[in-house]
Each structure stands twice: as C-alpha cells, then as structure tokens.
Amino acid sequence: MKSILQDTKECYLCRIEAMKKGYVGELTDQGLDEHHIFPGTSNRKKSEQHGLKVHLCHFKHHLGPEGPHMNRIIDLSLKGIAQREFERNHTREEFIQEFGKSWL
C-alpha cells in the first residue's frame, strides 16, 4: 500500500528539516529507502498494509545517526506521527489491537 504519511517521493525527515528552514521547493527522490515505521516480521507487514511507512535518505536519515535505526527520539517521533495518522480513521483500541501498544 502507498504511504498515508507522505504523497511525494522524498526523504520525510529532510522535508521536515527543509520546512523548518522555510524551504518548500523540491527535494531529491534519489538514494531513498522505504522505512516501515513499526519493525519486526508481523508489524512490518502491518505497516505495509496500513501505509505506515515513509521514504528516508539512506545514509543520513535511514541508517545514519539522525535516523530511526540509530536515534531513539526519531524512532519514537515517527511512531507517534504514524499512530496519529492511523487514528484519523481508526480508534486507539484498534491501533493497540493491531500493533500491541500505544506510542502516544
């Protein structure tokens, strides 16, 4: 399924940084990895099913020090954002049933 968190193929975290600096132009769509917000075999499949995934630039925001695999704050932030988006069309109870716990 397509991501419910972003419409454009660009690094989700680079876009947040760019917007904080007032930049709204295009960002590259090269060198991106698809990051499933909730990891693990079953949760990765559920992330895919519900569109809870984003594109991240490989070296900086996916596997680098500013990415969810190396930075717990970023990881928890993305989980909270994903849960809020899921809960726009579902209940908190449905989220917990699907992913095991609330991140909010």
Side-chain angles (χ1 to χ4, degrees):
M1 178 178 193
K2 188 176 176 182
S3 173
I4 64 169
L5 300 173
Q6 66 182 151
D7 295 326
T8 306
K9 187 176 179 184
E10 63 187 12
C11 177
Y12 186 80
L13 296 175
C14 284
R15 172 53 61 199
I16 290 172
E17 288 178 353
M19 288 173 46
K20 285 180 182 177
K21 295 175 183 175
Y23 179 75
V24 294
E26 288 187 28
L27 297 175
T28 185
D29 63 355
Q30 302 296 307
L32 301 174
D33 297 332
E34 190 173 70
H35 175 71
H36 293 82
I37 306 293
F38 300 99
T41 303
S42 65
N43 283 343
R44 181 181 168 91
K45 289 177 184 177
K46 292 174 186 177
S47 290
E48 179 70 34
Q49 176 186 353
H50 294 289
L52 300 177
K53 58 188 179 177
V54 293
H55 289 99
L56 297 175
C57 56
H58 180 78
F59 292 110
K60 181 177 181 183
H61 286 128
H62 194 209
L63 300 179
E66 297 178 44
H69 294 285
M70 302 298 262
N71 185 317
R72 182 83 171 139
I73 293 169
I74 298 296
D75 182 48
L76 294 175
S77 176
L78 287 174
K79 283 176 169 60
I81 291 166
Q83 182 175 343
R84 277 188 211 91
E85 191 62 29
F86 180 93
E87 290 179 0
R88 291 181 68 191
N89 297 307
H90 303 278
T91 66
R92 170 97 19 114
E93 292 72 27
E94 289 173 312
F95 182 85
I96 293 170
Q97 182 178 2
E98 193 72 5
F99 292 98
K101 72 180 215 176
S102 173
W103 296 94
L104 298 176

